[in-house]
Structure formats: structure tokens, C-alpha cells
Amino acid sequence: MEELKKILVVDDERFNVKVLSDILKPAYKVMAAINGTQALKAARSDNPPSLILLDIMMPEMDGYEVIAELKADEQTRDVPVIFVTAMEGSEDKEKGIALRAVDYIAKPVSPDIVLETVKQYL
């Protein structure tokens, strides 16, 4: 049997982590992090994720800082990062794409959009 792809969900709101995990769990293995430090540790672990769903607005280290570190690290630079955020302004999307996010999912999330977007990048 094929091993399930692993997805790291990063959001400081536990409710949002649960919503995304519930959507993804039937088809993927899900890891969770509630801040940028945990996200970087999980991404650099011996069993890294195949894809990262990353919130932008988080305390201490925001999603922009997290993706900048991920893309600067040889070990994690090729892991696709999709921003999942309520920040929908064009300048926010431009900044995310400039930092090499592969896509953008707006909150509140639609399960079908989450699953299709994730599938597209795995």
C-alpha cells in the first residue's frame, strides 16, 4: 500500500488547524504546528512534510517570515507552501508569490478547494 503524503498545517488558531486536519485526514497524513518555530522544526525533521499549508497572521513569526526561512534552507526550499489566510488583498498575494508560495487559499476555507489545491501541488 502506498504511504500517505504528509501535510503540515500551520495556524495559531487551533480551530483552523482542526478544520484543515479534518478535511485532509481521509487522504493524507497531517502534522500540525501552532507557530512559526514549530513549523520550521517540523519541516526540518527527519520525516518532513510533502506540502505546507501556512497561515500568514501569527504572533512572533508571521507566515512571510516562515516561508522566507523555508525557501532559504536547502533542506526545505523545494517543499510547496500554500498560504491559507484571511488576508485577501492583491499586495498580500503578490508578497506571498514573491516569497515563492505556490498558491493562496482564502479563509473561511472550502473543503473542495483545499483538497483540489493540495492535490494539484503534490
Side-chain angles (χ1 to χ4, degrees):
M1 191 171 122
E2 185 181 334
E3 189 173 327
L4 296 179
K5 298 274 188 184
K6 187 183 300 183
I7 298 174
L8 174 60
V9 174
V10 186
D11 197 305
D12 60 315
E13 296 290 332
R14 291 182 192 276
F15 175 79
N16 293 334
V17 171
K18 180 168 178 12
V19 168
L20 287 167
S21 294
D22 288 348
I23 292 168
L24 296 165
K25 274 186 180 169
Y28 303 100
K29 186 172 181 182
V30 178
M31 305 166 63
I34 58 167
N35 60 48
T37 303
Q38 284 183 5
L40 292 170
K41 185 176 180 182
R44 294 172 175 150
S45 71
D46 291 338
N47 196 2
S50 303
L51 182 139
I52 299 171
L53 295 177
L54 179 61
D55 184 27
I56 293 176
M57 295 184 294
M58 296 186 294
E60 296 172 37
M61 176 184 261
D62 68 23
Y64 295 131
E65 293 169 292
V66 174
I67 194 172
E69 283 207 34
L70 290 168
K71 297 304 177 182
D73 185 331
E74 189 174 311
Q75 182 183 351
T76 57
R77 73 170 47 130
D78 295 327
V79 177
V81 176
I82 299 170
F83 278 125
V84 181
T85 183
M87 297 174 67
E88 294 187 70
S90 59
E91 59 278 348
D92 297 313
K93 290 181 181 179
E94 289 169 14
K95 184 173 182 178
I97 299 304
L99 289 166
R100 298 187 27 227
V102 295
D103 214 328
Y104 218 91
I105 299 173
K107 290 179 185 175
V109 299
S110 156
D112 290 341
I113 290 174
V114 170
L115 290 170
E116 281 304 312
T117 305
V118 165
K119 187 173 151 185
Q120 180 179 347
Y121 294 103
L122 285 178

